[in-house]
Amino acid sequence: MRIILGVSGSVAAYRACDLARELMRQGHQVRVCLTDSAQNFVTPALFEALTGQPCLVDTFDEPDRGRMAHIDWARAADLVLVAPATANTLAKLAHGVADDMLTTLAVASQAPLMVVPAMNPTMYSSPGVLQARGILMDRGAEWLEPSTGDVACGENGQGKFPPIEVIVHEVQEVLSRSNQLAGQTVLISSGPTQEPIDIARYLTNRSSGKMGAALARAALRMGARVIVVAGPQRARLPVEAEIIPVQTAIEMRDRMVEMAPGADWIVGVAAVADYRPASPSLGKIRRSSEPLQLELLPNPDVLAEAVAAARPGTRAIGFAAEVGDDPEVIAGKLERKNLSAIAINDVAGAETGFESETNQITLQFRDGERIASEKMSKSALARWLFEQALSRS
Ligand SMILES: Cc1cc2nc3c(=O)[nH]c(=O)nc-3n(C[C@H](O)[C@H](O)[C@H](O)COP(=O)(O)O)c2cc1C
């Protein structure tokens, strides 16, 4: 595949050399475009030597005389990858500014856009960057979250350029669209639920919705129509998915049951609250020095009810947030909810489960067979899960 690698003026620009080499090792053609600022860190000559291709900087650079490079390269690209992407370049990409070669190429290309931000953590959490993130993701761009840790300026936080293998994996994911789920509808429940206590307060849990978003993206890349019944989650869902927002477990159950008859797959990854306050107050409960008792009622089993409403043959996969796991207990859940498989998620691990970027699951099928995944990014894991389930049909 043909990748345009845009490098902007981040201290992480030198990492783009290894990235270019690794992408080439995977069989891709890589053509590099630098911003002016990037030239303070790396040179066109370096990338030309590494890639064997001309490297563009100026909007009027024209390696093939008479052929406008910004159009030529943009048309030929299968992916525009901006890595590292500075706060400045991200803002320009979000607003369609085309005042240098890199941003002009991005505007001129219809290829998917993937950005890999790298910057100081304060910059990364600034309103302008957050707004650019929202705009680009709403437009369907792939936004790879930077890693958390010590950054070049000595601060600690989110903003580090991710490991090369993580970026390469994401690139492979975006480029390896398949039609394995073409013509099929995948219904996903995602995120936490919020159970009102009064008009200002609610009970909820730590689910970020990242795994649900990753499953939605993976199913879309495999050609499916995707419907997500989503609680109030922080992770952004892909724009190509049909999103049904809900707040409570009861709302989630109602919408899942309504959509289930049209689904070929049902994936229950939402962290549905087990209980809800019995009689939420219509006003705001006042503070007092007396203890407050909250009566809680059990919530419905959203996934079990959705599966019961589905057509025979619908494949149903549930996620079980377990601390440690017992195959007998899982087998019981499989039976009770009438599922094809359960993805057992150890939420006690630091790099697995709630809020983390990575995850590791064990899939247990109805016949008792179990397959454990490696620890990988949630998007890689989502693809793995669908492929495992498909390989058993
Ligand atoms: C030493 C140094 C390191 C920098 N590192 C970053 C960085 O990692 N991320 C970022 O967004 N900006 C960084 N900047 C600021 C950008 O280079 C600056 O905003 C520039 O205008 C970006 O231009 P470009 O987006 O066209 O490359 C750095 C600046 C300097 C002087």
Side-chain angles (χ1 to χ4, degrees):
M1 296 277 194
R2 289 156 302 182
I3 298 172
I4 295 178
L5 173 58
V7 180
S8 56
S10 154
V11 72
Y14 72 98
R15 307 272 311 280
C17 302
D18 283 343
L19 177 58
R21 295 293 297 192
E22 195 47 45
L23 289 168
M24 288 165 63
R25 247 193 293 278
Q26 301 291 329
H28 302 296
Q29 181 209 64
V30 179
R31 300 208 277 193
V32 178
C33 176
L34 303 182
T35 63
D36 254 344
S37 300
Q39 290 191 89
N40 291 302
F41 303 96
V42 286
T43 63
L46 172 61
F47 283 104
E48 287 179 353
L50 285 174
T51 63
Q53 297 282 335
C55 174
L56 301 179
V57 180
D58 188 84
T59 315
F60 292 87
D61 282 348
E62 215 175 69
D64 290 328
R65 297 298 317 153
R67 296 176 71 93
M68 288 178 284
H70 67 284
I71 302 293
D72 233 22
W73 280 36
R75 274 196 196 133
D78 297 300
L79 177 72
V80 177
L81 168 65
V82 184
T86 57
N88 176 57
T89 291
L90 289 167
K92 291 201 288 180
L93 291 171
H95 293 286
V97 174
D99 67 348
D100 61 8
M101 187 50 130
L102 173 53
T103 48
T104 304
L105 273 172
V107 171
S109 182
Q110 291 187 320
L113 171 68
M114 179 186 285
V115 296
V116 186
M119 65 197 72
N120 155 285
T122 309
M123 288 173 81
Y124 190 64
S125 59
S126 65
V129 172
L130 293 178
Q131 194 190 28
R133 180 173 181 269
I135 293 172
L136 288 170
M137 288 180 83
D138 282 347
R139 212 183 284 157
E142 305 286 335
W143 179 287
L144 222 142
E145 289 294 338
S147 311
T148 299
D150 293 330
V151 293
C153 58
E155 281 181 33
N156 184 285
Q158 190 178 16
K160 273 165 76 87
F161 196 67
I164 301 297
E165 64 270 20
V166 171
I167 304 173
V168 172
H169 183 89
E170 286 301 316
V171 168
Q172 300 290 60
E173 278 288 305
V174 172
L175 293 177
S176 67
R177 290 177 191 271
S178 76
N179 56 7
Q180 286 162 289
L181 293 176
Q184 303 197 32
T185 297
V186 176
L187 173 64
I188 299 170
S189 71
S190 176
T193 61
Q194 289 177 348
E195 311 297 331
I197 297 171
D198 63 16
I199 54 156
R201 307 175 180 96
Y202 49 76
L203 294 178
T204 191
N205 57 61
R206 286 175 51 202
S207 169
S208 61
K210 283 180 189 164
M211 195 65 224
L215 285 159
R217 268 196 302 274
L220 284 164
R221 285 177 192 153
M222 294 169 88
R225 170 188 175 214
V226 175
I227 303 169
V228 188
V229 178
Q233 63 176 64
R234 287 193 302 285
R236 244 165 219 281
L237 291 159
V239 272
E240 304 95 313
E242 294 158 50
I243 300 161
I244 302 177
V246 294
Q247 186 192 2
T248 64
I250 301 272
E251 285 167 18
M252 186 173 274
R253 187 267 319 267
D254 291 348
R255 303 311 306 272
M256 286 292 288
V257 166
E258 182 188 330
M259 304 313 292
D264 301 287
W265 294 73
I266 299 178
V267 186
V269 67
V272 182
D274 290 325
Y275 294 94
R276 66 181 184 280
S279 39
S281 167
L282 294 175
K284 183 163 174 264
I285 299 172
R286 295 219 163 270
R287 178 192 157 82
S288 92
S289 52
E290 294 303 309
L292 176 71
Q293 299 271 354
L294 262 186
E295 193 194 345
L296 300 179
L297 293 178
N299 267 329
D301 186 329
V302 173
L303 184 56
E305 290 198 30
V307 174
R311 285 180 272 122
T314 300
R315 275 190 259 203
I317 302 174
F319 271 68
E322 301 285 333
V323 182
D325 79 276
D326 177 346
E328 293 291 304
V329 174
I330 301 295
K333 266 194 183 181
L334 273 162
E335 279 303 315
R336 210 170 46 252
K337 294 175 190 261
N338 193 20
L339 303 179
S340 331
I342 285 189
I344 307 148
N345 205 184
D346 183 357
V347 291
E351 291 177 313
T352 57
F354 294 134
E355 293 165 348
S356 71
E357 294 303 325
T358 52
N359 206 356
Q360 191 274 324
I361 54 176
T362 301
L363 257 187
Q364 181 167 329
F365 292 91
R366 203 56 180 268
D367 59 9
E369 198 199 326
R370 301 184 120 211
I371 317 169
S373 76
E374 308 269 305
K375 190 175 81 196
M376 42 186 148
S377 71
K378 286 185 170 171
S379 74
L381 196 69
R383 179 75 169 240
W384 178 88
L385 182 138
F386 282 117
E387 282 173 352
Q388 290 300 328
L390 279 166
S391 70
R392 294 181 53 97
S393 55

